[in-house]
């Protein structure tokens, strides 16, 4: 047993909000200060989103944790406020609706999906490519985009949560 970094009460979310940022910084020779700033941004962004989502949701927690990672990675790529906001919008447009089924192996797969999407979203944001308010649940305001995501996760997926639980408890 080794300890892991937790975020919002979850080790997997902590790993997802932390390790991709650390690996990216090491691979790209960012300074220690740049890494600390990126890790702070990643974890705070994840916490900011999670606090509106609630403690239990059918929305997979890696969606918010990997969105945090995308913020940190965007910062490490030299992005500023606009690019970080665009990365968040790219992530929300891409991963909203990923369900949590509480299973550890599938959770690891979802983390991998989230991290891959985090890097892609950061790369697109650095190139000023992002999903706009013309599409889906994305709004011009990044905070409203986050509220749209968390509303889907906290209220919109209530029925999904019941179906997942029903499937899990009625397996033969």
């Amino acid at each position: 047993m080794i300890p892991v970094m937790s975020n919002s009460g979850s080790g997997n979310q902590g790993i997802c909000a932390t390790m991709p940022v650390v690996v990216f910084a090491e691979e790209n020779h960012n300074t220690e200060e740049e890494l600390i700033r990126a890790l702070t941004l990643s974890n705070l962004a994840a916490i900011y989103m999670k606090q509106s989502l609630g403690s239990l949701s059918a929305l997979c927690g890696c969606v918010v944790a990997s969105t945090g990672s995308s913020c940190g990675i965007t910062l490490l790529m030299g992005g500023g406020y606009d690019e970080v906001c665009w990365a968040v919008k790219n992530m929300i447009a891409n991963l909203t609706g990923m369900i949590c089924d509480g299973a550890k192996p599938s959770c690891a797969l979802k983390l991998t999906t989230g991290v891959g999407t985090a890097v892609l979203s950061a790369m697109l944001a650095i190139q000023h490519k992002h999903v706009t308010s013309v599409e889906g649940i994305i709004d011009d305001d990044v905070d409203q985009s986050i509220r749209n995501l968390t509303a889907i996760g906290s209220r919109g997926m209530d029925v999904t949560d019941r179906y997942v639980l029903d499937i899990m408890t009625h397996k033969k």
Side-chain angles (χ1 to χ4, degrees):
M1 296 289 292
I2 56 173
V4 297
M5 179 64 186
S6 177
N7 185 295
S8 302
S10 168
N12 279 348
Q13 290 176 49
I15 291 168
C16 188
T18 302
M19 292 311 300
V21 178
V22 169
V23 171
F24 187 91
E26 288 175 355
E27 292 293 319
N28 290 280
H29 309 289
N30 290 95
T31 67
E32 183 178 6
E33 181 178 341
E34 290 171 330
L35 171 60
I36 291 168
R37 288 175 182 272
L39 285 171
T40 301
L41 177 60
S42 175
N43 280 278
L44 288 176
I47 291 166
Y48 175 70
M49 288 178 265
K50 182 68 177 172
Q51 58 97 23
S52 295
L53 190 57
S55 56
L56 290 175
S57 169
L59 181 69
C60 179
C62 88
V63 172
V64 295
S66 59
T67 300
S69 274
S70 191
C71 293
I73 291 167
T74 302
L75 187 66
L76 291 172
M77 290 179 169
Y81 178 78
D82 286 339
E83 289 82 6
V84 168
C85 290
W86 296 334
V88 169
K89 291 177 182 184
N90 289 340
M91 290 294 291
I92 291 171
N94 197 329
L95 291 182
T96 297
M98 184 184 292
I99 66 163
C100 174
D101 64 3
K104 294 305 176 200
S106 64
C107 185
L109 288 169
K110 289 172 185 152
L111 289 174
T112 302
T113 298
V115 171
T117 304
V119 174
L120 174 64
S121 292
M123 290 170 59
L124 289 169
I126 289 295
Q127 297 172 28
H128 294 209
K129 294 178 180 8
H130 56 91
V131 178
T132 67
S133 61
V134 175
E135 294 109 358
I137 66 167
I138 301 304
D139 193 89
D140 287 328
D141 177 43
V142 70
D143 290 308
Q144 185 58 52
S145 296
I146 291 168
R147 285 191 292 274
N148 294 344
L149 165 73
T150 59
I152 289 169
S154 63
R155 296 187 310 273
M157 295 179 78
D158 281 346
V159 173
T160 302
D161 203 25
R162 288 193 292 275
Y163 274 110
V164 169
L165 187 58
D166 186 58
I167 290 167
M168 291 170 56
T169 58
H170 289 93
K171 290 182 183 178
K172 293 181 184 187

